[in-house]
Amino acid sequence: MIATQDADHVEPAVALARQGYHLLLEKPMATSEADCERIVDAAEGAGVLLAVCHVLRYTPYSRRLKALVDGGRIGDVVSVEHLEPVGWWHQAHSYVRGNWRREDTSTFMLMAKSCHDLDWLTHLIGRPVERVSSFGGLYEFRAERRPVGAADRCLDCAVEASCPYSAPRIYLPSLKEPDRVWPLSVVTAERSEEGVLAASREGPYGRCVYACDNDVVDHQVVSLEYRGGVTASFTMTAFTPSDFRRTRVFGTRGSIEGDGRSITVHDFVDGGSEVIEVESGAGATADDGHGGECGRWEWFSRVTRRGSSRGDVRHGFGGALLSSVACRANWGNRSRTATTAMTAMAAMTPWSLPRAVASVAGGASRPGRGRSGGVRVRRLPR
C-alpha cells in the first residue's frame, strides 16, 4: 500500500497502481481533471483499491454517532445541521497568510478544509446527494476592511495591540507549550521569542491580514438535499474559536447534539435525554489528524487484506465531488473567474455518487457582497 498526495505524486500513483499497489491518497489527489482521470483509470484497470483520506469518519466520536444513527435511536434522519468552526487564528495562519490562501496555488476552501465535512455528512446520513446550493465569500480579509493606521506588517503596526489577527499574539504563546509543534513549526525553525519576531518581521506569517494576496473565502454555507428528501446544512466560518465540529441530527423519534466530545440524545417517546461522553482521540485541528489517523489505517489494512471490491474503491470520493459542486454554486459571488477551483478531484468520481451534471445560475459581483448561484445535480442514466 502507498499513501501519496499533491500533483507531484500523480505519476508515482499511476505507476504504482499499474504495478498492483493499493493507493491511499491525501486530498487533493490531483489538481486537474485529466490527472484525476489518469489515477482513477490506472486503479480501475489494475483492479487495486483507491481511497482518499477522510479521517473524520474514524474518530471514536464519529463511530459512536454513526452507530446511534444507524441503530435507529432517533428514528429516520430528516435533517442535519453541521458547523465547522475554523477559528479566527487558524484562518489567519493557514488561509490568509499561509499555504492555502490562494485557489491558483493550492485549491478552494471547501476542498482544502471542508471536503472532510462534506464526506462525513454523506457517511453519517448514508444517502447520495441530489441537490446542492452554496453561498459565501471573502468578507473580512481584504484591503477594504483594513483598519485606519494599519501597517503592512504587525511589528510595524500602530493598531496591532487591538487586532485579533496580530502575528505576535498568535505565535508567541506557543513558546509556553513545548509539546505543541504546530503552527509555530511552519513559521520558524528557531523556537524562541527572537525566532518568532524575526519571522514576523521577514516572513509571510508576519504580514497584515488585510494586505495579503489571499482570495479563498472566509465563510460559506452549503445546503444539501439527499435522496428521499433528507436535508443538511453545512457552515464553514473563520469567525469562531478553533474547536471541534458541532452537529445536530434531527430524526422522527428523537434528536442528537454532538460537539466532538459528547453526544446528547433526546428521546421524543419518554421525553428524556442521555449524555454520552466520548473520548475525542485527539485535538480539534489537523496537526494531530483529527483523532482519526489510526482508524483510517485500520480500515485500509482490513479492506486490502480481504481484497478490494467496487464498494471499497468508492470510499472517500463523495466529499470531493460535493466540495467541487458547492464551490461552483458559489462562483456567482466572485468577480473573477477561478481557473483551478473546479479541477481538483472533480473527475475522480465514477465510483462515488451517481454521475451528475451541474447547471450554474447567478451573476458576478464583488467578492463577499454579491448574489450567490445555485447548483442542481440531476442523475444521468448509466
Side-chain angles (χ1 to χ4, degrees), residues 114-300:
S114 303
C115 67
H116 289 296
D117 299 85
L118 294 171
D119 170 80
W120 186 86
L121 279 170
T122 301
H123 171 65
L124 179 68
I125 294 171
R127 298 172 182 236
V129 174
E130 296 192 332
R131 290 198 296 172
V132 180
S133 64
S134 185
F135 308 87
L138 179 57
Y139 182 92
E140 177 68 0
F141 304 102
R142 49 197 175 94
E144 298 93 319
R145 298 283 297 175
R146 184 169 177 160
V148 175
D152 288 343
R153 288 195 170 270
C154 294
L155 294 185
D156 303 321
C157 185
V159 297
E160 178 270 334
S162 62
C163 179
Y165 309 106
S166 157
R169 181 176 292 107
I170 291 174
Y171 300 121
L172 285 175
S174 296
L175 297 175
K176 300 177 182 178
E177 303 177 65
D179 294 333
R180 183 183 178 190
V181 176
W182 182 86
L184 198 55
S185 59
V186 180
V187 178
T188 178
E190 184 181 341
R191 196 178 179 89
S192 66
E193 182 174 348
E194 293 75 15
V196 172
L197 293 178
S200 297
R201 185 169 298 283
E202 301 169 4
Y205 293 95
R207 294 179 295 172
C208 174
V209 294
Y210 303 100
C212 293
D213 60 343
N214 58 298
D215 62 8
V216 300
V217 301
D218 55 21
H219 69 293
Q220 191 157 352
V221 174
V222 181
S223 298
L224 307 123
E225 184 178 65
Y226 295 79
R227 181 182 296 169
V230 176
T231 59
S233 64
F234 168 66
T235 298
M236 180 284 300
T237 179
F239 308 107
T240 66
S242 183
D243 202 355
F244 289 98
R245 275 83 166 172
R246 298 177 183 272
T247 308
R248 297 200 290 178
V249 186
F250 306 101
T252 56
R253 298 179 65 84
S255 64
I256 294 175
E257 298 175 13
D259 62 3
R261 305 175 185 89
S262 66
I263 299 169
T264 302
V265 183
H266 303 283
D267 192 312
F268 296 166
V269 176
D270 61 20
S273 298
E274 177 188 4
V275 178
I276 303 169
E277 300 293 339
V278 183
E279 185 178 336
S280 63
T285 56
D287 60 318
D288 49 25
H290 299 292
E293 289 284 357
C294 292
R296 175 194 66 180
W297 285 108
E298 289 172 3
W299 168 83
F300 194 70

Side-chain angles (χ1 to χ4, degrees), residues 294-355:
C294 292
R296 175 194 66 180
W297 285 108
E298 289 172 3
W299 168 83
F300 194 70
S301 297
R302 184 172 66 253
V303 295
T304 52
R305 284 196 301 269
R306 75 168 185 252
S308 64
S309 67
R310 182 178 176 84
D312 293 329
V313 172
R314 294 179 182 183
H315 176 85
F317 292 117
L321 174 61
L322 292 182
S323 300
S324 296
V325 171
C327 182
R328 176 174 284 176
N330 190 44
W331 276 0
N333 273 352
R334 317 312 241 294
S335 59
R336 58 190 171 74
T337 300
T339 56
T340 63
M342 284 299 297
T343 59
M345 300 168 75
M348 66 176 189
T349 56
W351 301 320
S352 56
L353 302 180
R355 296 178 184 179

Side-chain angles (χ1 to χ4, degrees), residues 23-38:
L23 302 177
L24 179 60
L25 306 178
E26 289 288 355
K27 49 100 181 151
M29 60 184 285
T31 56
S32 73
E33 294 183 12
D35 283 341
C36 289
E37 288 177 345
R38 289 186 60 213

Side-chain angles (χ1 to χ4, degrees), residues 59-103:
T59 65
Y61 166 81
S62 293
R63 290 180 174 184
R64 187 64 182 272
L65 181 59
K66 175 69 171 170
L68 289 168
V69 170
D70 288 353
R73 183 69 183 273
I74 59 170
D76 293 343
V77 173
V78 179
S79 58
V80 179
E81 179 184 277
H82 184 63
L83 168 69
E84 180 181 15
V86 176
W88 84 96
W89 67 263
H90 189 185
Q91 182 81 23
H93 171 75
S94 297
Y95 307 103
V96 179
R97 295 171 171 132
N99 294 334
W100 296 277
R101 68 189 183 275
R102 293 185 59 86
E103 290 183 2

